[in-house]
Amino acid sequence: MSAELFDGGPLDGGKLRRRLAAGEVTVGTFVGMSSTIATEVCAASGADWVLVDLEHGSGGEDSVRDGVLAAGSYGVPTIVRVESGERIRIGRVLDQGAAGIMVPRLNSVVEAGAAVRHMLYPPHGDRGVATYNRSCRWGMDRAPLSSAQQSTVGIIQIETLESLDTVEEIAAQDGVDVLFVGPLDLSYALGVPLQLDSNPFQEALQRVVAAAEAHGKAAGILAVDGHGAAKYVRQGFRFVAIGSDSTIMAAAFRDAFDTARN
């Protein structure tokens, strides 16, 4: 059955990856409340993508399964940050229809390369082959199994000294589309915890952006709010997350309560 018959469904089909390859700036948010409604609200609000966080969020695979449908109903792809770069974890998330994978706490080119291979079917990688899942439209579309073009967005986090020291080599890896700075982890690794305006941290950001640009990849980062996101875009970041469902909701309520009381 032709894949064209499925236009408008929850699957991204590589559109986000193509946008990034074309140099577009995209903005999204983390969703960690394990709430399908929260995921839907974020997508309905105009996000280019939503990221279901399995590393620090409160949900599990159910939040991926339902989140892909909730965001996809608005034409918004779902990225998933997995807890680790293990093959089985990455494969299970992709089978649920995720458009991309973010892998945290990698320390070397070898680890980054292994994570990317887990995102690809043989002969390009070692992702488990099966068709009775959402990514293959329950066996009705086998094109992803033999496609020569990768559709999954590969996002490697730069949040340790080891990953920062090899960021140029990581950026050169095929299948790595985004170098994503974990700002808090990286600030601690640099010995300037929470000091995001410090010289060591800002120099590290410049190095990540330069590495990404040199290899035609996107630099990504997490911003607290829209103003912070705009600042990062001016610095050259093209894949920017604005807070999370819980932090934005908490900030909005806090400001509303303070305004009402004062």
Side-chain angles (χ1 to χ4, degrees):
M1 188 174 290
S2 173
E4 283 77 8
L5 297 179
F6 297 104
D7 282 349
L11 300 181
D12 172 69
K15 294 175 185 173
L16 179 58
R17 189 169 192 259
R18 291 191 290 272
R19 290 180 67 185
L20 292 170
E24 289 188 40
V25 173
T26 68
V27 293
T29 189
F30 281 51
V31 289
M33 293 171 60
S34 190
S35 166
T36 303
I37 298 299
T39 302
E40 181 180 348
V41 169
C42 292
S45 299
D48 291 309
W49 44 266
V50 296
L51 188 147
V52 174
D53 188 4
L54 298 185
E55 184 189 19
H56 293 300
S58 59
E61 284 191 36
D62 287 356
S63 59
V64 177
R65 179 195 65 202
D66 300 335
V68 168
L69 293 178
S73 65
Y74 292 87
V76 176
T78 298
I79 306 293
V80 178
R81 176 160 70 177
V82 291
E83 307 95 320
S84 70
E86 294 179 1
R87 186 190 70 84
I88 189 65
R89 161 50 73 218
I90 290 174
R92 285 183 63 84
V93 166
L94 290 176
D95 284 353
Q96 296 281 12
I101 300 291
M102 177 183 286
V103 188
R105 309 300 295 185
L106 298 183
N107 293 314
S108 69
V109 177
V110 172
E111 290 178 356
V116 170
R117 284 194 299 276
H118 300 335
M119 301 178 196
L120 305 175
Y121 289 115
H124 309 291
D126 58 9
R127 177 180 171 185
V129 182
T131 61
Y132 56 96
N133 52 59
R134 184 183 287 153
S135 69
C136 286
R137 304 183 194 273
W138 315 110
M140 293 181 285
D141 181 11
R142 298 192 175 194
L145 302 180
S146 56
S147 175
Q149 178 63 44
Q150 176 181 337
S151 63
T152 302
V153 178
I155 307 167
I156 303 300
Q157 286 205 249
I158 306 300
E159 53 187 354
T160 67
L161 291 181
E162 292 84 356
S163 60
L164 182 63
D165 286 343
T166 58
V167 66
E168 292 82 9
E169 291 84 356
I170 292 174
Q173 291 279 308
D174 289 337
V176 174
D177 300 300
V178 181
L179 305 172
F180 192 91
V181 173
L184 299 188
D185 280 301
L186 185 57
S187 73
Y188 273 81
L190 290 168
V192 288
L194 309 181
Q195 299 173 45
L196 304 190
D197 291 326
S198 66
N199 287 336
F201 186 79
Q202 289 299 315
E203 290 169 0
L205 295 191
Q206 293 172 13
R207 182 173 179 181
V208 173
V209 170
E213 291 179 345
H215 294 281
K217 310 299 175 67
I221 195 167
L222 174 62
V224 173
D225 54 26
H227 295 293
K231 177 182 176 182
Y232 285 134
V233 170
R234 290 193 294 271
Q235 287 182 265
F237 288 90
R238 296 194 289 108
F239 186 90
V240 183
I242 302 175
S244 69
D245 49 358
S246 58
T247 59
I248 290 176
M249 183 174 73
F253 273 123
R254 181 193 61 215
D255 291 346
F257 293 147
D258 289 345
T259 299
R261 292 184 178 116
N262 297 322

